[in-house]
Amino acid sequence: MIRSRRETLGAHTLIRGDCTTVLRRMSSQTVDVVVTSPPYNLGIEYRTYQDQLPEDAYLDWMEDVCASVKRIMKDDGSFFLNIAGSSSQPWLPFELMSRLRKLFVLQNHITWIKSISVGEITYGHFKPLNSPRFVNRNHEHIFHLTKKGDVKVARLDAGVPFTDKSNISRRQHEMDRRCRGDTWFIPYETVRSRKEKFSHPGTFPIALPEACLRLHGAKPGGVLLDPFMGVGTSLIAAERKGLSGIGVEKDTRYVNIARKRLRAAIGTREEDWEDE
Ligand SMILES: C[S@@+](CC[C@H](N)C(=O)[O-])C[C@H]1O[C@@H](n2cnc3c(N)ncnc32)[C@H](O)[C@@H]1O
């Protein structure tokens, strides 16, 4: 059992603790947007968390966490759940979504493309897989879950400019912007050293939670929650967009990295916490 500890950094609250218990203590209908990437149950080597539960236990646990998320979320809130399967466990994300059908409407299903080849040119970082059976996995899922499926999204804020500008007047668009669609190419930022990888095996790029916040139409002063904060990537996106972030993470070392990253983003300094 980990002792919870919390800190306020600017507009944000970072909590070292188990989200299963922390979320139960949070007030209902207080969060605008949830952006999170839980453990995928694929045996990823986190520092303390063992990412290999029996499948039913994993699904029960995730269902329980997501039920708390639903209670905490406002009725017009958005829950962006990033998850992936593997070649040997391709069904897992879909098994989870089938459980979550009882709780949420799947309003949008976005494919996060981490690398892509267009013609002969590859964009993004390509991690080779040497398999006689499987092709490389270059994508993950972002499930956009809402309570009733009727949340208005800011398609154009999250959109892209027209390539053919003649479309603007021809189709009477008010601005040079069209919907991006449901495939988002967001490569990892290039890192020059191991230190920049934050000693965490499964982060997402800051541009991913930023895109989710844009699609939701999140406004400054709104509240973002990440129950599986890791090294705080979604809280940095919240800081950049003027939202207050609440992040929960059970591993002290990851919380300390999140604290450092967030302090750098808002411009303050302080000492590390110790395990207790
Ligand atoms: C996929 S990572 C999240 C990474 C994050 N998106 C980032 O960019 O840093 C999942 C995180 O959940 C944490 N975790 C696992 N079980 C948890 C729990 N019960 N409560 C809070 N955090 C937990 C793990 O330690 C891990 O850092």
Side-chain angles (χ1 to χ4, degrees):
M1 178 90 161
I2 8 158
R3 257 186 73 193
S4 290
R5 180 168 177 179
R6 67 173 60 214
E7 178 178 47
T8 305
L9 274 180
H12 314 285
T13 309
L14 284 81
I15 304 167
R16 193 251 338 260
D18 184 331
C19 66
T20 322
T21 40
V22 173
L23 298 195
R24 282 203 195 109
R25 292 189 201 124
M26 286 179 66
S27 308
S28 302
Q29 306 246 14
T30 46
V31 164
D32 297 281
V33 193
V34 180
V35 184
T36 200
S37 176
Y40 297 174
N41 212 36
L42 296 177
I44 294 183
E45 289 191 14
Y46 296 107
R47 200 178 73 99
T48 46
Y49 174 75
Q50 300 296 315
D51 189 35
Q52 216 145 30
L53 292 171
E55 190 170 307
D56 275 336
Y58 171 76
L59 293 171
D60 289 347
W61 172 54
M62 284 306 299
E63 197 181 319
D64 182 51
V65 172
C66 294
S68 291
V69 164
K70 181 179 181 188
R71 182 185 59 75
I72 295 164
M73 238 167 81
K74 294 182 183 168
D75 287 343
D76 59 356
S78 284
F79 175 15
F80 294 94
L81 178 65
N82 163 228
I83 193 156
S86 70
S87 300
S88 54
Q89 279 171 280
W91 289 109
L92 205 56
F94 304 105
E95 301 280 2
L96 175 59
M97 290 316 292
S98 137
R99 291 280 195 109
L100 298 188
R101 260 186 110 154
K102 306 182 227 175
L103 297 171
F104 294 100
V105 174
L106 177 56
Q107 192 171 319
N108 288 287
H109 177 192
I110 293 149
T111 302
W112 166 29
I113 298 169
K114 299 188 280 187
S115 75
I116 189 162
S117 301
V118 180
E120 301 292 307
I121 301 173
T122 297
Y123 300 91
H125 299 275
F126 190 75
K127 206 158 131 200
L129 167 81
N130 202 1
S131 163
R133 287 196 294 154
F134 302 123
V135 293
N136 275 64
R137 284 192 159 248
N138 301 345
H139 76 281
E140 297 197 6
H141 307 278
I142 303 170
F143 295 111
H144 175 213
L145 301 161
T146 59
K147 289 193 182 176
K148 296 201 176 128
D150 59 358
V151 173
K152 284 209 173 73
V153 289
R155 289 152 46 98
L156 299 187
D157 288 359
V160 286
F162 285 98
T163 307
D164 176 357
K165 303 293 181 202
S166 71
N167 273 309
I168 306 167
S169 56
R170 211 153 29 88
R171 298 186 193 269
Q172 283 139 40
H173 291 291
E174 279 173 16
M175 53 176 148
D176 181 11
R177 212 117 189 111
R178 66 164 177 84
C179 178
R180 178 181 294 268
D182 61 3
T183 45
W184 294 358
F185 170 56
I186 304 180
Y188 277 99
E189 297 102 355
T190 303
V191 290
R192 284 171 299 277
S193 65
R194 278 181 77 82
K195 197 169 158 249
E196 284 185 63
K197 288 184 111 177
F198 318 120
S199 315
H200 190 291
T203 61
F204 47 42
I206 303 172
L208 186 131
E210 274 184 330
C212 296
L213 290 177
R214 261 202 303 278
L215 182 62
H216 177 74
K219 302 269 180 305
V223 178
L224 165 142
L225 167 70
D226 186 346
F228 298 100
M229 173 181 68
V231 291
T233 314
S234 45
L235 268 69
I236 294 172
E239 167 65 22
R240 289 186 181 176
K241 297 264 164 228
L243 278 84
S244 301
I246 303 170
V248 189
E249 166 60 53
K250 71 190 303 189
D251 189 301
T252 310
R253 194 184 295 168
Y254 299 155
V255 180
N256 278 328
I257 299 169
R259 292 171 65 228
K260 281 203 181 79
R261 291 179 78 201
L262 197 55
R263 279 181 187 284
I266 60 185
T268 42
R269 281 179 53 100
E270 225 200 74
E271 297 306 308
D272 277 356
W273 294 351
E274 300 295 330
D275 275 318
E276 289 163 55

